[in-house]
Each structure stands twice: as C-alpha cells, then as structure tokens.
PDB file of all heavy atoms in Angstrom:
ATOM      1  N   ALA G1264     141.776 174.423 132.946  1.00 80.00           N
ATOM      2  CA  ALA G1264     140.962 175.702 132.776  1.00 80.00           C
ATOM      3  C   ALA G1264     139.507 175.279 132.752  1.00 80.00           C
ATOM      4  O   ALA G1264     139.077 174.151 132.732  1.00 80.00           O
ATOM      5  CB  ALA G1264     141.391 176.315 131.428  1.00 80.00           C
ATOM      6  N   GLN G1265     138.654 176.355 132.780  1.00 79.00           N
ATOM      7  CA  GLN G1265     137.198 176.184 132.826  1.00 79.00           C
ATOM      8  C   GLN G1265     136.611 177.053 131.668  1.00 79.00           C
ATOM      9  O   GLN G1265     136.985 178.135 131.483  1.00 79.00           O
ATOM     10  CB  GLN G1265     136.738 176.722 134.160  1.00 79.00           C
ATOM     11  CG  GLN G1265     135.320 176.252 134.544  1.00 79.00           C
ATOM     12  CD  GLN G1265     134.934 176.688 135.923  1.00 79.00           C
ATOM     13  OE1 GLN G1265     134.837 177.876 136.231  1.00 79.00           O
ATOM     14  NE2 GLN G1265     134.785 175.799 136.830  1.00 79.00           N
ATOM     15  N   ASN G1266     135.749 176.312 130.855  1.00 80.00           N
ATOM     16  CA  ASN G1266     135.133 177.090 129.776  1.00 80.00           C
ATOM     17  C   ASN G1266     133.935 177.903 130.271  1.00 80.00           C
ATOM     18  O   ASN G1266     133.579 177.899 131.429  1.00 80.00           O
ATOM     19  CB  ASN G1266     134.775 176.090 128.697  1.00 80.00           C
ATOM     20  CG  ASN G1266     133.698 175.064 129.040  1.00 80.00           C
ATOM     21  OD1 ASN G1266     133.025 175.217 130.071  1.00 80.00           O
ATOM     22  ND2 ASN G1266     133.627 174.000 128.222  1.00 80.00           N
ATOM     23  N   GLU G1267     133.230 178.524 129.282  1.00 78.00           N
ATOM     24  CA  GLU G1267     132.097 179.388 129.634  1.00 78.00           C
ATOM     25  C   GLU G1267     130.936 178.620 130.301  1.00 78.00           C
ATOM     26  O   GLU G1267     130.103 179.210 131.008  1.00 78.00           O
ATOM     27  CB  GLU G1267     131.653 180.125 128.368  1.00 78.00           C
ATOM     28  CG  GLU G1267     132.698 181.085 127.921  1.00 78.00           C
ATOM     29  CD  GLU G1267     132.262 181.824 126.630  1.00 78.00           C
ATOM     30  OE1 GLU G1267     131.406 181.203 125.936  1.00 78.00           O
ATOM     31  OE2 GLU G1267     132.820 182.846 126.281  1.00 78.00           O
ATOM     32  N   GLU G1268     130.891 177.283 129.998  1.00 78.00           N
ATOM     33  CA  GLU G1268     129.783 176.527 130.615  1.00 78.00           C
ATOM     34  C   GLU G1268     130.121 175.889 131.952  1.00 78.00           C
ATOM     35  O   GLU G1268     129.316 175.163 132.579  1.00 78.00           O
ATOM     36  CB  GLU G1268     129.428 175.370 129.565  1.00 78.00           C
ATOM     37  CG  GLU G1268     129.003 175.833 128.245  1.00 78.00           C
ATOM     38  CD  GLU G1268     128.922 174.742 127.202  1.00 78.00           C
ATOM     39  OE1 GLU G1268     129.381 173.589 127.523  1.00 78.00           O
ATOM     40  OE2 GLU G1268     128.455 175.018 126.089  1.00 78.00           O
ATOM     41  N   GLY G1269     131.292 176.221 132.399  1.00 73.00           N
ATOM     42  CA  GLY G1269     131.770 175.747 133.748  1.00 73.00           C
ATOM     43  C   GLY G1269     132.436 174.412 133.737  1.00 73.00           C
ATOM     44  O   GLY G1269     132.760 173.840 134.833  1.00 73.00           O
ATOM     45  N   LYS G1270     132.691 173.850 132.549  1.00 75.00           N
ATOM     46  CA  LYS G1270     133.312 172.559 132.417  1.00 75.00           C
ATOM     47  C   LYS G1270     134.795 172.636 132.539  1.00 75.00           C
ATOM     48  O   LYS G1270     135.445 173.558 131.906  1.00 75.00           O
ATOM     49  CB  LYS G1270     132.888 171.928 131.051  1.00 75.00           C
ATOM     50  CG  LYS G1270     133.423 170.494 130.913  1.00 75.00           C
ATOM     51  CD  LYS G1270     132.967 169.927 129.544  1.00 75.00           C
ATOM     52  CE  LYS G1270     133.517 168.546 129.353  1.00 75.00           C
ATOM     53  NZ  LYS G1270     133.168 167.979 128.052  1.00 75.00           N
ATOM     54  N   SER G1271     135.449 171.723 133.318  1.00 74.00           N
ATOM     55  CA  SER G1271     136.862 171.766 133.496  1.00 74.00           C
ATOM     56  C   SER G1271     137.536 171.120 132.350  1.00 74.00           C
ATOM     57  O   SER G1271     137.079 169.986 131.853  1.00 74.00           O
ATOM     58  CB  SER G1271     137.291 171.094 134.780  1.00 74.00           C
ATOM     59  OG  SER G1271     136.879 171.849 135.918  1.00 74.00           O
ATOM     60  N   LEU G1272     138.581 171.758 131.856  1.00 77.00           N
ATOM     61  CA  LEU G1272     139.347 171.167 130.704  1.00 77.00           C
ATOM     62  C   LEU G1272     140.786 171.099 131.055  1.00 77.00           C
ATOM     63  O   LEU G1272     141.371 171.900 131.772  1.00 77.00           O
ATOM     64  CB  LEU G1272     139.241 172.085 129.500  1.00 77.00           C
ATOM     65  CG  LEU G1272     137.814 172.411 128.931  1.00 77.00           C
ATOM     66  CD1 LEU G1272     137.833 173.433 127.949  1.00 77.00           C
ATOM     67  CD2 LEU G1272     137.182 171.125 128.405  1.00 77.00           C
ATOM     68  N   LYS G1273     141.436 169.949 130.620  1.00 74.00           N
ATOM     69  CA  LYS G1273     142.868 169.774 130.874  1.00 74.00           C
ATOM     70  C   LYS G1273     143.585 169.767 129.482  1.00 74.00           C
ATOM     71  O   LYS G1273     143.029 169.293 128.546  1.00 74.00           O
ATOM     72  CB  LYS G1273     143.182 168.497 131.630  1.00 74.00           C
ATOM     73  CG  LYS G1273     142.660 168.458 133.056  1.00 74.00           C
ATOM     74  CD  LYS G1273     143.027 167.119 133.747  1.00 74.00           C
ATOM     75  CE  LYS G1273     142.533 167.116 135.182  1.00 74.00           C
ATOM     76  NZ  LYS G1273     142.868 165.822 135.814  1.00 74.00           N
ATOM     77  N   GLY G1274     144.817 170.192 129.473  1.00 73.00           N
ATOM     78  CA  GLY G1274     145.562 170.192 128.204  1.00 73.00           C
ATOM     79  C   GLY G1274     147.031 170.459 128.388  1.00 73.00           C
ATOM     80  O   GLY G1274     147.446 170.827 129.506  1.00 73.00           O
ATOM     81  N   ILE G1275     147.791 170.286 127.293  1.00 73.00           N
ATOM     82  CA  ILE G1275     149.270 170.586 127.235  1.00 73.00           C
ATOM     83  C   ILE G1275     149.347 171.575 126.090  1.00 73.00           C
ATOM     84  O   ILE G1275     148.876 171.387 124.994  1.00 73.00           O
ATOM     85  CB  ILE G1275     150.033 169.330 126.948  1.00 73.00           C
ATOM     86  CG1 ILE G1275     149.941 168.422 128.304  1.00 73.00           C
ATOM     87  CG2 ILE G1275     151.509 169.735 126.840  1.00 73.00           C
ATOM     88  CD1 ILE G1275     150.748 167.135 128.152  1.00 73.00           C
ATOM     89  N   LEU G1276     150.127 172.660 126.422  1.00 73.00           N
ATOM     90  CA  LEU G1276     150.335 173.693 125.435  1.00 73.00           C
ATOM     91  C   LEU G1276     151.815 173.906 125.229  1.00 73.00           C
ATOM     92  O   LEU G1276     152.614 174.123 126.153  1.00 73.00           O
ATOM     93  CB  LEU G1276     149.670 175.021 125.969  1.00 73.00           C
ATOM     94  CG  LEU G1276     149.589 176.207 125.034  1.00 73.00           C
ATOM     95  CD1 LEU G1276     148.658 175.888 123.803  1.00 73.00           C
ATOM     96  CD2 LEU G1276     149.105 177.388 125.794  1.00 73.00           C
ATOM     97  N   LEU G1277     152.225 174.046 123.915  1.00 68.00           N
ATOM     98  CA  LEU G1277     153.618 174.331 123.620  1.00 68.00           C
ATOM     99  C   LEU G1277     153.722 175.882 123.439  1.00 68.00           C
ATOM    100  O   LEU G1277     153.042 176.532 122.664  1.00 68.00           O
ATOM    101  CB  LEU G1277     153.895 173.686 122.298  1.00 68.00           C
ATOM    102  CG  LEU G1277     155.420 173.654 121.810  1.00 68.00           C
ATOM    103  CD1 LEU G1277     156.224 172.834 122.791  1.00 68.00           C
ATOM    104  CD2 LEU G1277     155.584 173.087 120.456  1.00 68.00           C
ATOM    105  N   SER G1278     154.594 176.450 124.235  1.00 69.00           N
ATOM    106  CA  SER G1278     154.693 177.907 124.243  1.00 69.00           C
ATOM    107  C   SER G1278     156.065 178.411 124.631  1.00 69.00           C
ATOM    108  O   SER G1278     156.817 177.620 125.291  1.00 69.00           O
ATOM    109  CB  SER G1278     153.650 178.497 125.099  1.00 69.00           C
ATOM    110  OG  SER G1278     153.589 179.924 125.016  1.00 69.00           O
ATOM    111  N   ASP G1279     156.423 179.691 124.293  1.00 63.00           N
ATOM    112  CA  ASP G1279     157.690 180.226 124.582  1.00 63.00           C
ATOM    113  C   ASP G1279     157.923 180.402 126.079  1.00 63.00           C
ATOM    114  O   ASP G1279     159.005 180.210 126.650  1.00 63.00           O
ATOM    115  CB  ASP G1279     157.899 181.598 123.947  1.00 63.00           C
ATOM    116  CG  ASP G1279     158.600 181.509 122.630  1.00 63.00           C
ATOM    117  OD1 ASP G1279     159.153 180.425 122.339  1.00 63.00           O
ATOM    118  OD2 ASP G1279     158.619 182.439 121.857  1.00 63.00           O
ATOM    119  N   SER G1280     156.900 180.901 126.714  1.00 67.00           N
ATOM    120  CA  SER G1280     156.986 181.204 128.155  1.00 67.00           C
ATOM    121  C   SER G1280     155.605 180.982 128.844  1.00 67.00           C
ATOM    122  O   SER G1280     154.610 180.772 128.164  1.00 67.00           O
ATOM    123  CB  SER G1280     157.467 182.664 128.374  1.00 67.00           C
ATOM    124  OG  SER G1280     156.381 183.496 127.830  1.00 67.00           O
ATOM    125  N   GLU G1281     155.638 180.950 130.231  1.00 73.00           N
ATOM    126  CA  GLU G1281     154.387 180.807 130.913  1.00 73.00           C
ATOM    127  C   GLU G1281     153.435 181.990 130.587  1.00 73.00           C
ATOM    128  O   GLU G1281     152.157 181.820 130.509  1.00 73.00           O
ATOM    129  CB  GLU G1281     154.623 180.725 132.417  1.00 73.00           C
ATOM    130  CG  GLU G1281     153.363 180.464 133.232  1.00 73.00           C
ATOM    131  CD  GLU G1281     153.601 180.316 134.671  1.00 73.00           C
ATOM    132  OE1 GLU G1281     154.625 179.666 135.099  1.00 73.00           O
ATOM    133  OE2 GLU G1281     152.827 180.819 135.496  1.00 73.00           O
ATOM    134  N   ARG G1282     153.970 183.233 130.464  1.00 73.00           N
ATOM    135  CA  ARG G1282     153.159 184.369 130.084  1.00 73.00           C
ATOM    136  C   ARG G1282     152.398 184.226 128.804  1.00 73.00           C
ATOM    137  O   ARG G1282     151.236 184.454 128.691  1.00 73.00           O
ATOM    138  CB  ARG G1282     154.048 185.629 130.157  1.00 73.00           C
ATOM    139  CG  ARG G1282     153.285 186.882 129.766  1.00 73.00           C
ATOM    140  CD  ARG G1282     154.180 188.082 129.736  1.00 73.00           C
ATOM    141  NE  ARG G1282     153.469 189.281 129.393  1.00 73.00           N
ATOM    142  CZ  ARG G1282     154.071 190.457 129.260  1.00 73.00           C
ATOM    143  NH1 ARG G1282     155.306 190.630 129.437  1.00 73.00           N
ATOM    144  NH2 ARG G1282     153.280 191.523 129.022  1.00 73.00           N
ATOM    145  N   SER G1283     153.199 183.746 127.795  1.00 76.00           N
ATOM    146  CA  SER G1283     152.610 183.444 126.470  1.00 76.00           C
ATOM    147  C   SER G1283     151.468 182.391 126.590  1.00 76.00           C
ATOM    148  O   SER G1283     150.501 182.499 125.892  1.00 76.00           O
ATOM    149  CB  SER G1283     153.659 183.094 125.507  1.00 76.00           C
ATOM    150  OG  SER G1283     154.612 184.094 125.304  1.00 76.00           O
ATOM    151  N   ALA G1284     151.835 181.312 127.336  1.00 79.00           N
ATOM    152  CA  ALA G1284     150.793 180.279 127.480  1.00 79.00           C
ATOM    153  C   ALA G1284     149.522 180.799 128.092  1.00 79.00           C
ATOM    154  O   ALA G1284     148.413 180.492 127.720  1.00 79.00           O
ATOM    155  CB  ALA G1284     151.443 179.156 128.307  1.00 79.00           C
ATOM    156  N   ARG G1285     149.637 181.644 129.145  1.00 81.00           N
ATOM    157  CA  ARG G1285     148.501 182.223 129.854  1.00 81.00           C
ATOM    158  C   ARG G1285     147.736 183.067 128.878  1.00 81.00           C
ATOM    159  O   ARG G1285     146.477 182.995 128.868  1.00 81.00           O
ATOM    160  CB  ARG G1285     148.946 183.115 131.012  1.00 81.00           C
ATOM    161  CG  ARG G1285     149.478 182.330 132.187  1.00 81.00           C
ATOM    162  CD  ARG G1285     149.935 183.218 133.357  1.00 81.00           C
ATOM    163  NE  ARG G1285     150.316 182.435 134.510  1.00 81.00           N
ATOM    164  CZ  ARG G1285     149.560 182.018 135.492  1.00 81.00           C
ATOM    165  NH1 ARG G1285     148.242 182.358 135.454  1.00 81.00           N
ATOM    166  NH2 ARG G1285     149.978 181.386 136.478  1.00 81.00           N
ATOM    167  N   GLN G1286     148.402 183.861 127.973  1.00 80.00           N
ATOM    168  CA  GLN G1286     147.694 184.714 127.023  1.00 80.00           C
ATOM    169  C   GLN G1286     146.951 183.862 126.030  1.00 80.00           C
ATOM    170  O   GLN G1286     145.821 184.212 125.665  1.00 80.00           O
ATOM    171  CB  GLN G1286     148.738 185.609 126.288  1.00 80.00           C
ATOM    172  CG  GLN G1286     149.321 186.813 127.189  1.00 80.00           C
ATOM    173  CD  GLN G1286     150.291 187.599 126.383  1.00 80.00           C
ATOM    174  OE1 GLN G1286     150.805 187.120 125.393  1.00 80.00           O
ATOM    175  NE2 GLN G1286     150.611 188.770 126.905  1.00 80.00           N
ATOM    176  N   GLU G1287     147.557 182.763 125.561  1.00 81.00           N
ATOM    177  CA  GLU G1287     146.896 181.914 124.634  1.00 81.00           C
ATOM    178  C   GLU G1287     145.710 181.219 125.188  1.00 81.00           C
ATOM    179  O   GLU G1287     144.655 181.110 124.504  1.00 81.00           O
ATOM    180  CB  GLU G1287     147.954 180.817 124.081  1.00 81.00           C
ATOM    181  CG  GLU G1287     147.375 180.116 122.877  1.00 81.00           C
ATOM    182  CD  GLU G1287     148.481 179.352 122.187  1.00 81.00           C
ATOM    183  OE1 GLU G1287     149.654 179.690 122.407  1.00 81.00           O
ATOM    184  OE2 GLU G1287     148.132 178.385 121.412  1.00 81.00           O
ATOM    185  N   ILE G1288     145.681 180.813 126.418  1.00 83.00           N
ATOM    186  CA  ILE G1288     144.563 180.168 127.148  1.00 83.00           C
ATOM    187  C   ILE G1288     143.506 181.229 127.255  1.00 83.00           C
ATOM    188  O   ILE G1288     142.311 180.924 127.098  1.00 83.00           O
ATOM    189  CB  ILE G1288     145.010 179.606 128.438  1.00 83.00           C
ATOM    190  CG1 ILE G1288     145.922 178.338 128.178  1.00 83.00           C
ATOM    191  CG2 ILE G1288     143.743 179.186 129.264  1.00 83.00           C
ATOM    192  CD1 ILE G1288     146.708 177.911 129.450  1.00 83.00           C
ATOM    193  N   LYS G1289     143.826 182.433 127.631  1.00 82.00           N
ATOM    194  CA  LYS G1289     142.841 183.516 127.846  1.00 82.00           C
ATOM    195  C   LYS G1289     142.205 183.891 126.537  1.00 82.00           C
ATOM    196  O   LYS G1289     140.990 184.196 126.533  1.00 82.00           O
ATOM    197  CB  LYS G1289     143.550 184.699 128.387  1.00 82.00           C
ATOM    198  CG  LYS G1289     142.643 185.852 128.879  1.00 82.00           C
ATOM    199  CD  LYS G1289     143.443 186.981 129.544  1.00 82.00           C
ATOM    200  CE  LYS G1289     142.449 188.138 129.990  1.00 82.00           C
ATOM    201  NZ  LYS G1289     143.204 189.218 130.622  1.00 82.00           N
ATOM    202  N   SER G1290     142.966 183.773 125.421  1.00 81.00           N
ATOM    203  CA  SER G1290     142.420 184.128 124.093  1.00 81.00           C
ATOM    204  C   SER G1290     141.340 183.168 123.614  1.00 81.00           C
ATOM    205  O   SER G1290     140.541 183.394 122.781  1.00 81.00           O
ATOM    206  CB  SER G1290     143.496 184.242 123.083  1.00 81.00           C
ATOM    207  OG  SER G1290     144.092 182.981 122.734  1.00 81.00           O
ATOM    208  N   LYS G1291     141.333 181.954 124.223  1.00 79.00           N
ATOM    209  CA  LYS G1291     140.334 180.927 123.961  1.00 79.00           C
ATOM    210  C   LYS G1291     139.132 181.085 124.743  1.00 79.00           C
ATOM    211  O   LYS G1291     138.248 180.053 124.799  1.00 79.00           O
ATOM    212  CB  LYS G1291     140.924 179.586 124.053  1.00 79.00           C
ATOM    213  CG  LYS G1291     142.146 179.255 123.117  1.00 79.00           C
ATOM    214  CD  LYS G1291     142.678 177.918 123.419  1.00 79.00           C
ATOM    215  CE  LYS G1291     143.906 177.580 122.451  1.00 79.00           C
ATOM    216  NZ  LYS G1291     144.574 176.301 122.706  1.00 79.00           N
ATOM    217  N   ASN G1292     138.963 182.145 125.475  1.00 81.00           N
ATOM    218  CA  ASN G1292     137.819 182.396 126.397  1.00 81.00           C
ATOM    219  C   ASN G1292     137.702 181.319 127.504  1.00 81.00           C
ATOM    220  O   ASN G1292     136.666 180.873 127.870  1.00 81.00           O
ATOM    221  CB  ASN G1292     136.444 182.457 125.599  1.00 81.00           C
ATOM    222  CG  ASN G1292     136.525 183.649 124.657  1.00 81.00           C
ATOM    223  OD1 ASN G1292     136.931 184.736 125.048  1.00 81.00           O
ATOM    224  ND2 ASN G1292     135.959 183.442 123.515  1.00 81.00           N
ATOM    225  N   LEU G1293     138.914 180.913 127.994  1.00 82.00           N
ATOM    226  CA  LEU G1293     138.940 179.919 129.068  1.00 82.00           C
ATOM    227  C   LEU G1293     139.413 180.608 130.419  1.00 82.00           C
ATOM    228  O   LEU G1293     140.244 181.520 130.340  1.00 82.00           O
ATOM    229  CB  LEU G1293     139.901 178.745 128.797  1.00 82.00           C
ATOM    230  CG  LEU G1293     139.511 177.921 127.526  1.00 82.00           C
ATOM    231  CD1 LEU G1293     140.633 176.896 127.221  1.00 82.00           C
ATOM    232  CD2 LEU G1293     138.179 177.240 127.750  1.00 82.00           C
TER     233      LEU G1293
END
C-alpha cells in the first residue's frame, strides 16, 4: 500500500476475508 506521503508499505494482515482486509487497509488512509 501507499501512504499519504507516497511511501510504499508492505505488511501482513489477519482477516476474515479479502473484502474485510481491503476495508481495514482503507480505514488506515492507505
């Protein structure tokens, strides 16, 4: 993902589904 400053970030997220994972990443303003 990319933050507001344009920096690329990598990570691993534990989630029920890909949709939930996408929502959680979006909620972090990424």
Side-chain angles (χ1 to χ4, degrees):
Q1265 198 174 65
N1266 64 16
E1267 293 174 340
E1268 299 169 354
K1270 184 179 177 182
S1271 290
L1272 302 171
K1273 294 182 180 179
I1275 293 176
L1276 187 66
L1277 191 66
S1278 188
D1279 266 349
S1280 63
E1281 184 176 322
R1282 180 182 179 183
S1283 297
R1285 285 176 179 275
Q1286 287 179 341
E1287 191 164 341
I1288 292 165
K1289 189 176 180 181
S1290 70
K1291 295 177 181 178
N1292 294 321
L1293 297 174

